[in-house]
Amino acid sequence: MSMSSVHLDVKQELSEKGFVFIPRWKLELSINELASNVGKVVKISDYLNHSMIPDVQKVTPKERESSIKSHYSGEFGLNAFPLHTDLAHWGKPPKYIMMRCINGNERVATKVLPLNIIWEILQDHGLRRAVVKTRGRRCCLLPLLFNTNEEQCIRWDSHFLEPVNESASVIRDLMLSKKVWDLAIDIKLKNFGDTLILNNHSHFHGRSKVSSDCVDRELERIYFN
């Protein structure tokens, strides 16, 4: 099978399912090459206040005390990362995330929750009315639901977004509940090259708790549209 047909299969599955897990995928290629063959890589350094952030980021578990406060590890440390949208505080977050295992651990899970599993629940709790604001002095108001390329998309992040109205507060409590957490799918990135791609506009993701003897876990992450 040719390289182009492989990537077409990935695109099709991603379009139909919303996420793809590929064990030990194309070990000879870099994550940047893989993402570039599936879509257009998001250059985070092109965005205001992100000039020092590389396109490919290394993701490793860290204790709270040794992490930057504004990062997830600075808030949650080795505890579980709640379900969220990456870069939810952007006007239009990147559509896709690719995470690739460098050094894995089968005791740590990436949690994936497709929106369709909880769509009706969120609707019943006022999703269409929910408005949040970004953190910091230059905060701006954002709806949880937004449209891009005629598609309806959703954003959520309990750390970088703050509820503005009651509907958003109710959604926050729901998204942080064990009821919703238990609906997420566990995906283990444990072997070198194991790759997870997910639609960041329709799927939430998080991370299970990391024990102190699993801190050598290392992933690469890149965004693309």
Side-chain angles (χ1 to χ4, degrees):
M1 184 179 291
S2 68
M3 175 68 74
S4 60
S5 62
V6 169
H7 289 302
L8 283 174
D9 289 344
V10 170
K11 286 182 179 180
Q12 182 175 352
E13 186 174 355
L14 192 56
S15 175
E16 293 173 354
K17 188 179 177 183
F19 73 95
V20 182
F21 174 68
I22 314 168
R24 300 181 62 80
W25 189 35
K26 296 291 179 183
L27 302 182
E28 72 279 8
L29 297 180
S30 69
I31 188 173
N32 207 320
E33 291 174 300
L34 290 170
S36 296
N37 284 321
V38 181
K40 183 178 180 181
V41 170
V42 173
K43 296 188 71 63
I44 296 181
S45 58
D46 288 346
Y47 290 81
L48 183 66
N49 299 326
H50 293 80
S51 60
M52 301 301 292
I53 300 177
D55 298 341
V56 178
Q57 299 115 43
K58 294 287 179 70
V59 181
T60 57
K62 299 180 183 69
E63 298 277 3
R64 288 184 64 181
E65 296 74 17
S66 58
S67 302
I68 299 172
K69 181 61 179 174
S70 60
H71 292 183
Y72 256 55
S73 292
E75 178 69 19
F76 303 106
L78 300 181
N79 291 323
F81 285 1
L83 296 164
H84 64 281
T85 302
D86 264 20
L87 302 174
H89 57 292
W90 286 18
K92 288 185 178 179
K95 185 169 184 178
Y96 297 108
I97 308 168
M98 181 183 290
M99 289 180 277
R100 190 164 169 85
C101 179
I102 302 300
N103 186 44
N105 194 299
E106 63 181 10
R107 288 184 291 164
V108 182
T110 298
K111 314 284 288 189
V112 175
L113 179 63
L115 175 60
N116 59 19
I117 292 180
I118 59 167
W119 175 252
E120 290 187 6
I121 300 174
L122 293 176
Q123 288 276 74
D124 292 343
H125 286 77
L127 175 61
R128 293 191 180 278
R129 300 184 299 275
V131 178
V132 294
K133 66 177 180 179
T134 57
R135 296 194 317 171
R137 289 176 297 176
R138 296 182 179 179
C139 67
C140 63
L141 299 181
L142 296 168
L144 292 190
L145 285 178
F146 64 99
N147 292 311
T148 180
N149 298 326
E150 299 183 355
E151 289 183 79
Q152 185 166 254
C153 311
I154 190 169
R155 76 179 86 236
W156 177 251
D157 190 304
S158 60
H159 182 53
F160 288 106
L161 301 177
E162 299 177 4
V164 169
N165 58 10
E166 184 178 355
S167 294
S169 295
V170 171
I171 296 292
R172 176 195 58 197
D173 294 343
L174 181 65
M175 290 298 297
L176 291 173
S177 70
K178 185 177 185 298
K179 172 184 176 181
V180 169
W181 177 261
D182 288 345
L183 293 173
I185 302 162
D186 282 358
I187 296 178
K188 305 290 182 68
L189 295 156
K190 57 184 180 180
N191 298 309
F192 178 76
D194 285 357
T195 304
L196 171 65
I197 312 172
L198 62 87
N199 187 326
N200 191 46
H201 290 174
S202 64
H203 288 60
F204 308 110
H205 69 284
R207 188 203 69 195
S208 66
K209 185 176 180 179
V210 178
S211 59
S212 58
D213 57 346
C214 296
V215 293
D216 59 346
R217 181 181 190 254
E218 182 178 347
L219 307 180
E220 286 184 322
R221 178 181 61 204
I222 195 169
Y223 302 104
F224 64 95
N225 288 318

